[in-house]
Amino acid sequence: KMVFGDGDEKKVPSPRAAPCLASLKDGCVILFGGAEATEQGLNPRADLWCFEIDVDDDSDNGSWTLLLDDDDGPPPRNAATLIPMGAQSMKNILGSEDSNNSNKKYFLLQGGWAP
């Protein structure tokens, strides 16, 4: 059974080819980009979604939540990779710890192409 965010039964990612998927936490994955087929050809996407299943519930219900729309994040891309970055890696990249955001998750989005 699928449950939709904000009571909107149409708010789910469109069918698409080659999006990025990465685990955010237990029972939750994020989906970024990909390309949807249209009559004019492939339409690259740049939206970010979270699919979450309640791991403590035996009902197998899941829900989609739109985190970023196409215009709010990185440029659209197809066939890229999305890699979770550990706290130590981000400390090395940023040069210091981000003590105000200890629960913040970082991901490296690399490669891909816009059809």
Side-chain angles (χ1 to χ4, degrees), residues 17-90:
C20 301
L21 287 171
S23 175
L24 183 60
K25 61 182 180 179
D26 283 349
C28 180
V29 295
I30 55 174
L31 176 146
F32 174 79
E36 44 186 29
T38 68
E39 290 181 13
Q40 293 76 31
L42 292 176
N43 177 38
R45 297 301 307 259
D47 49 352
L48 179 68
W49 292 84
C50 176
F51 182 72
E52 191 162 13
I53 295 176
D54 186 352
V55 294
D56 297 325
D57 182 2
D58 291 336
S59 67
D60 294 330
N61 287 338
S63 63
W64 284 106
T65 303
L66 179 63
L67 303 176
L68 291 173
D69 209 345
D70 285 299
D71 299 326
D72 298 329
R77 61 189 78 193
N78 184 45
T81 57
L82 190 60
I83 303 165
M85 300 291 291
Q88 184 61 45
S89 296
M90 289 311 298

